[in-house]
Amino acid sequence: MARFWVCAAGAVFFLAFLVLHLRFCGTPVLRKFASQISWRTEKLFYRLDLGWPKHSEYFTGATFGVAVDSLNGLVYIVQRGDNIPKVLVFTEDGYFLRAWNYTVDTPHGIFAASTLHEQSVWITDVGSGSFGHTVKKYNSFGDLVQVLGTPGKKGIGLNPLQFDNPAELYVEDTGEIYIVDGDGGLNNRLIKLSQDFMILWLHGENGTRPTEFSIPHSVTVDPTGRVWVADRGNKRIQVFDKDTGEWLGEWTSCFTEEGPSSVRFTPDGKYLIVAQLNLSRLSVVAAPPVGGIGDCSVTSTIQLANQVLPHLLEVDRKTGAIYVAEIGAKQVQKYVPLNNCIPSFVS
């Protein structure tokens, strides 16, 4: 009988190994076959890159946001504090390049929107000073290019557009912009802007019903055209159609302990990486197929130390590496995927 169980366990292990190998390293036909077997059980794991950054002493404040220019291999970090650089620029290998502190009051979110024709960095500013309550566009060296909102003045207006503690934004390659405006301020809304900053659609007021928000804190777009919003105060993620703004559904089951603070997709669109601030946890959540939202399904987690407090995160669109801005630990850490036999991530 003991021999039987040993053989059975060996057979299960071999089958699992074979499925994973075919799924990630086999021919396209075999990968498709294995995918049909294992789509429910596949897991994506990460390891901490202990060598990033090369010199952590450049972190001199509370790190609130991180952005990756995967086209040029640059990592931008925003931090808060008195008499310190608000923006730090590193290479993806962890070498410090430069810092700048122009027209930034109290940064919250940051996004790098680089194409073959332009490198740009967007920052949401929640400060109460002369630069606050704005969404600003810079070039890669910190020169101010564009300001959305009324600097130093919070508001609820749409013409002209005003903000009150804008939390984060996501910029598509087309130039269209998604902004979550409401890190504890007057507004609880999601705004989509055209490339020339015209409002295409808008959702939101304070509440718990569909399209209403309580501290919308992070926003991202998946490859199939769905907009995902971390509705932090309501402990859920809401999903919208990016073209029409139609509400598509919500996820609540994964966030009973605490709401999500940050959301980003892996480059292949198969997983959503979610940060939960006070739990100091990152979750890898399986993305639903086109045509439905389904239920939230966590495939793996990264448990950080207590009081690390992961605030916002970014995923490198080429390598799949996760960069996490930790306001408790006052640092940014990098996690790299362990599934090294995956041929490559695509943007």
Side-chain angles (χ1 to χ4, degrees):
M1 181 60 69
R3 180 178 297 178
F4 168 79
W5 286 113
V6 170
C7 293
V12 170
F13 176 82
F14 175 77
L15 180 60
F17 173 80
L18 179 62
V19 167
L20 290 174
H21 179 76
L22 293 177
R23 175 67 179 89
F24 296 123
C25 305
T27 66
V29 173
L30 293 177
R31 286 201 303 268
K32 181 178 180 181
F33 169 73
S35 176
Q36 293 173 350
I37 298 175
S38 62
W39 72 274
R40 283 291 187 184
T41 58
E42 176 189 346
K43 294 184 178 182
L44 183 61
F45 294 101
Y46 292 84
R47 66 168 176 84
L48 176 64
D49 184 347
L50 295 174
W52 202 98
K54 303 300 182 184
H55 303 285
S56 59
E57 64 269 18
Y58 289 101
F59 299 142
T60 53
T63 49
F64 269 73
V66 58
V68 179
D69 175 0
S70 57
L71 193 63
N72 297 286
L74 300 176
V75 180
Y76 297 87
I77 295 163
V78 288
Q79 59 178 1
R80 297 184 191 178
D82 296 329
N83 302 314
I84 64 170
K86 298 298 175 61
V87 181
L88 307 176
V89 188
F90 290 84
T91 68
E92 62 183 357
D93 295 326
Y95 292 98
F96 177 76
L97 291 180
R98 55 185 174 270
W100 39 275
N101 191 31
Y102 309 110
T103 67
V104 181
D105 187 355
T106 307
H108 189 277
I110 183 170
F111 189 88
S114 293
T115 67
L116 293 175
H117 308 290
E118 180 186 41
Q119 297 182 49
S120 59
V121 180
W122 292 82
I123 296 175
T124 62
D125 197 331
V126 298
S128 56
S130 58
F131 303 123
H133 303 295
T134 54
V135 177
K136 296 187 283 274
K137 177 183 179 182
Y138 298 86
N139 65 22
S140 60
F141 291 93
D143 299 320
L144 183 62
V145 177
Q146 180 72 43
V147 178
L148 305 179
T150 305
K153 184 177 181 181
K154 62 185 177 182
I156 62 174
L158 298 178
N159 188 20
L161 184 60
Q162 293 179 295
F163 301 104
D164 184 7
N165 290 355
E168 199 198 43
L169 75 160
Y170 186 94
V171 184
E172 291 198 273
D173 291 340
T174 60
E176 294 176 325
I177 306 170
Y178 304 82
I179 302 170
V180 279
D181 179 25
D183 185 38
L186 296 171
N187 303 321
N188 285 275
R189 61 192 184 186
L190 166 66
I191 304 171
K192 180 178 181 179
L193 302 179
S194 66
Q195 186 177 10
D196 55 357
F197 314 120
M198 301 295 293
I199 296 177
L200 297 178
W201 52 262
L202 178 149
H203 281 302
E205 58 183 74
N206 189 28
T208 60
R209 295 178 298 181
T211 75
E212 296 178 342
F213 301 99
S214 174
I215 312 180
H217 198 261
S218 180
V219 59
T220 193
V221 180
D222 71 18
T224 67
R226 296 173 294 194
V227 182
W228 300 71
V229 178
D231 189 4
R232 182 176 166 187
N234 284 326
K235 296 184 178 180
R236 64 182 178 181
I237 291 176
Q238 295 198 67
V239 189
F240 303 85
D241 181 275
K242 79 168 189 176
D243 294 323
T244 65
E246 176 188 359
W247 186 81
L248 300 177
E250 64 181 19
W251 278 353
T252 59
S253 61
C254 292
F255 313 111
T256 56
E257 294 179 88
E258 185 193 6
S261 63
S262 187
V263 286
R264 283 293 187 268
F265 278 91
T266 55
D268 57 12
K270 293 182 179 180
Y271 300 94
L272 181 67
I273 312 298
V274 181
Q276 290 171 284
L277 179 73
N278 293 305
L279 294 178
S280 291
R281 178 187 299 165
L282 307 181
S283 296
V284 181
V285 185
V290 178
I293 300 303
D295 297 323
C296 181
S297 176
V298 176
T299 65
S300 60
T301 60
I302 302 172
Q303 185 60 55
L304 311 180
N306 290 337
Q307 301 305 312
V308 164
L309 306 181
H311 185 247
L312 292 172
L313 62 85
E314 186 58 280
V315 177
D316 190 312
R317 295 174 65 183
K318 282 188 176 181
T319 67
I322 304 172
Y323 295 84
V324 186
E326 302 167 350
I327 58 176
K330 296 184 177 180
Q331 64 183 4
V332 169
Q333 295 197 97
K334 178 182 180 181
Y335 294 83
V336 294
L338 284 176
N339 303 62
N340 293 326
C341 62
I342 299 176
S344 64
F345 284 113
V346 294
S347 59

